[in-house]
Every structure is written in C-alpha cells, then in structure tokens.
Amino acid sequence: KNLTIASDFFDIPTFTSKFSGSNNLIIASLNVQSIQSKYNSLNSLLDSWNTYNVPVHILALQEVWHIPHPELLPFSGFKLIHKSRPRGRGGGIGFLIRNNINCKIIENLSPFVPYVFESLTVEITLNDNKKYSCTSIYRSPNPPNAMSRRSEEHTSELQSHSDLVCRL
C-alpha cells in the first residue's frame, strides 16, 4: 500500500465529515492545553468520532501539562501514554492510542528537555504486524530565558531527532 501523509488543519465538523467511514489508519494531532481541564471535552470528542464512525487510531497530544494521576483520566477505548514536566503549567506531550493497538515507547527517540524540545515517540504494531513510529513534539513558545539560545537548542534537537528517525 502507498502511505499518504497529510498535514491539513480541520475544524471538528469538517474532520468528522471527511474521515467518517474511512478504512485508513488515521493519526490526528491536538494541542489540548491541559488534559485535566479538557478531559470532559476530549472524551466528548472521542465519543463523537465513535458515533460518526471516524476511526481515529492515534491522537498525538501537545501541552498535556503535568498529570499527577493519569489513572484518574480513563478514555473509553484508548490508552494514555505521556511525558510531562515534573510540575507546573504548560508543555508535555502524549498520545491517546486505541486499546487494540500494541505500542511501546522508543526512549532513544523521545528526548525531553523542558521548555526546549519535548518529545515522545512510540512504535505501534497493527493487526497485520506492520510497525510504525509516531512522534509527538512540543516547543514552548515562551522559553523561560535566553529565547534565542533555546530556539537554537530546539532546532538542534529537532535535527538530531530527524537524523535518528531517518536512519531507522
């Protein structure tokens, strides 16, 4: 099969309309700005996709923020995998992955430097034993200090990450 990668922005009704009934692997991305405060809304979105037969398999998340008790955030049909800053507001990345998809974190492709380059890479194995790697990356728009140095560090980390992925 050919792999088609698109990086389009959709509002929720357009996304739902476009992908309803699709047989393709669908990976979406969403900046949640605190998964705890958006928990009910995010669950409603997932329920809506299920109702309208939108088979999102993986939802990459940015800005999950600190999650002290992830076990208190159950998502129907999905498992939450995440990395967050040790405390405070902002940042953090993760995935919601359908329960029927096997996955594991790839630590050497998941550098996490708070405020500079926050990433999480997972390897997923589908029912046909095909394996894919998915990465969620977040760069803080307001690094705490030395903004140009942080921007250069982010660019360097992104290049290193890209080089590692391309060698696989």
Side-chain angles (χ1 to χ4, degrees):
K1 273 187 167 179
N2 292 331
L3 178 64
T4 302
I5 298 174
S7 184
D8 298 329
F9 174 82
F10 295 98
D11 61 19
I12 292 171
T14 305
F15 183 88
T16 300
S17 173
K18 180 171 178 73
F19 294 104
S20 179
S22 174
N23 292 322
N24 296 319
L25 172 67
I26 297 177
I27 303 169
S29 180
L30 182 66
N31 184 315
V32 293
Q33 294 180 321
S34 177
I35 200 167
Q36 291 181 123
S37 70
K38 305 291 188 328
Y39 175 73
N40 290 332
S41 297
L42 188 51
N43 259 325
S44 293
L45 175 63
L46 297 174
D47 288 344
S48 171
W49 285 343
N50 283 331
T51 299
Y52 291 102
N53 193 26
V54 179
V56 173
H57 298 83
I58 300 167
L59 183 58
L61 304 169
Q62 298 80 43
E63 280 200 272
V64 297
W65 295 19
H66 181 65
I67 308 172
H69 302 286
E71 68 278 5
L72 299 178
L73 301 174
F75 291 94
S76 179
F78 288 84
K79 56 190 155 234
L80 171 64
I81 298 171
H82 70 94
K83 275 186 167 182
S84 56
R85 295 176 188 164
R87 61 192 162 284
R89 292 174 41 116
I93 57 338
F95 290 97
L96 286 174
I97 300 175
R98 288 219 180 250
N99 287 333
N100 66 339
I101 296 176
N102 292 321
C103 66
K104 67 179 180 179
I105 295 173
I106 304 173
E107 289 295 341
N108 67 320
L109 294 180
S110 300
F112 193 92
V113 181
Y115 300 99
V116 176
F117 190 86
E118 300 174 6
S119 71
L120 180 62
T121 300
V122 294
E123 178 184 87
I124 62 162
T125 305
L126 300 179
N127 291 335
D128 58 5
N129 288 323
K130 287 189 178 179
K131 294 183 179 189
Y132 299 91
S133 295
C134 300
T135 302
S136 183
I137 296 173
Y138 177 71
R139 175 184 172 261
S140 176
N142 300 310
N145 54 32
M147 190 161 178
S148 66
R149 183 177 59 82
R150 296 285 185 172
S151 181
E152 289 169 10
E153 288 175 19
H154 174 80
T155 302
S156 176
E157 287 286 343
L158 183 59
Q159 184 62 53
S160 295
H161 183 80
S162 297
D163 291 347
L164 278 171
V165 170
C166 289
R167 280 186 258 161
L168 295 179

